[in-house]
Every structure is written in structure tokens, then in C-alpha cells.
């Protein structure tokens, strides 16, 4: 996997993980001080999925990214309704975990040369189970 694509997937997985943590921690004061954590992470997930689709050469993963972007948009719209008092907040812990699992191992793949370039340009071997 090319460095830019790996970076994209890393950001996507991070956002899914952060949203999963917000959803699973009842003590998270997500709605205080103007923060709207669930909406914020859903926007980022939707954006990274859409942006990564344009870079992805594997049709299977393009399709997964498209589905993720659509689902994130629908969940964001539901969350926005709940924030306006027009509906209920949606539980997304399982959704986040399931999507994260779709991309974690794939994002560890290496490029055709058998190495992945770090930001300094040096080559490092990545072992994928």
C-alpha cells in the first residue's frame, strides 16, 4: 500500500476508534462546552471515506468505503436531528467496531516492492499476520 493510502486508512481507523470510545463511555461529556463529538467524528469518517475512495485501486475496498461514507452520512443526519431535539441519539459502538475491523488488517499491507516508506523516506518491512 502506498504511503498516502496508508495514511488515509490510518486516519479513518482513528476516527472510528475515537467514535467507538465516545459511544462506549457513558461518562464522556460529549455535549458540553459546545462539543458535538459524535457528529464531529461522523463527519470526519464520511470525509475520509469519500476522499480515500478516489485513491483506492481495489474495487472491493472502494465499495466498502462508499458504503461506509453513505452509512456515516445517514448516522450523522440522525445525530443532527437528535441534537435539534427531533429524534433519538443512535448507538454506534458496534457499527464503529465492525467498520474498523474491515480496514485494520488491510491498512497494514505493503506496497509492491515489499516495503512501506515512512515520512523520512526510509524503507521499513511490515509483517502482516
Amino acid at each position: 500500500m502506498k504511503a498516502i493510502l496508508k495514511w488515509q486508512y490510518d486516519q479513518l481507523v482513528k476516527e472510528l476508534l475515537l467514535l467507538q470510545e465516545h459511544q462506549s463511555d457513558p461518562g464522556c461529556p460529549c455535549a458540553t462546552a459546545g462539543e458535538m463529538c459524535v457528529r464531529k467524528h461522523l463527519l470526519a469518517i464520511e470525509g475520509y471515506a469519500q476522499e480515500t475512495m478516489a485513491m483506492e485501486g481495489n474495487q472491493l475496498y472502494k465499495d466498502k468505503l462508499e458504503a461506509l461514507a453513505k452509512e456515516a452520512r445517514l448516522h450523522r443526519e440522525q445525530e443532527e436531528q437528535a441534537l435539534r431535539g427531533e429524534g433519538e441519539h443512535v448507538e454506534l459502538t458496534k457499527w464503529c467496531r465492525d467498520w474498523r475491523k474491515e480496514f485494520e488488517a488491510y491498512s497494514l499491507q505493503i506496497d509492491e516492492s515489499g516495503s512501506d516508506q515512512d515520512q523520512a523516506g526510509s524503507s521499513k518491512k511490515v509483517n502482516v499476520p
Side-chain angles (χ1 to χ4, degrees):
M1 177 174 296
K2 301 295 182 198
I4 186 64
L5 194 55
K6 176 162 181 20
W7 186 89
Q8 290 287 133
Y9 277 109
D10 284 350
Q11 301 316 304
L12 186 57
V13 168
K14 287 176 194 177
E15 291 293 340
L16 287 162
L17 192 57
L18 287 168
L19 180 53
Q20 182 181 341
E21 288 179 2
H22 282 289
Q23 288 278 286
S24 63
D25 182 359
C28 178
C30 290
T32 60
E35 288 298 319
M36 298 177 190
C37 296
V38 172
R39 180 181 182 272
K40 173 182 67 176
H41 291 298
L42 286 167
L43 274 168
I45 291 165
E46 180 183 352
Y48 278 118
Q50 291 170 334
E51 186 176 58
T52 306
M53 278 174 35
M55 300 175 195
E56 180 58 74
N58 181 319
Q59 189 60 48
L60 174 65
Y61 281 89
K62 274 188 177 211
D63 293 345
K64 288 181 182 195
L65 290 163
E66 182 177 18
L68 175 60
K70 286 179 182 177
E71 289 177 23
R73 183 177 55 252
L74 289 173
H75 289 313
R76 176 178 54 80
E77 290 168 354
Q78 289 175 319
E79 179 65 14
E80 289 170 351
Q81 287 178 342
L83 289 168
R84 290 190 302 266
E86 300 167 359
E88 298 295 319
H89 295 279
V90 180
E91 169 55 45
L92 298 170
T93 305
K94 183 179 180 332
W95 179 82
C96 294
R97 182 182 184 281
D98 290 348
W99 272 115
R100 182 175 49 81
K101 297 275 184 195
E102 288 290 325
F103 298 113
E104 278 181 323
Y106 179 68
S107 71
L108 297 176
Q109 290 187 18
I110 52 178
D111 69 13
E112 302 82 41
S113 68
S115 65
D116 196 4
Q117 297 288 322
D118 64 16
Q119 287 185 348
S122 65
S123 188
K124 58 185 176 185
K125 191 76 169 169
V126 178
N127 295 323
V128 179

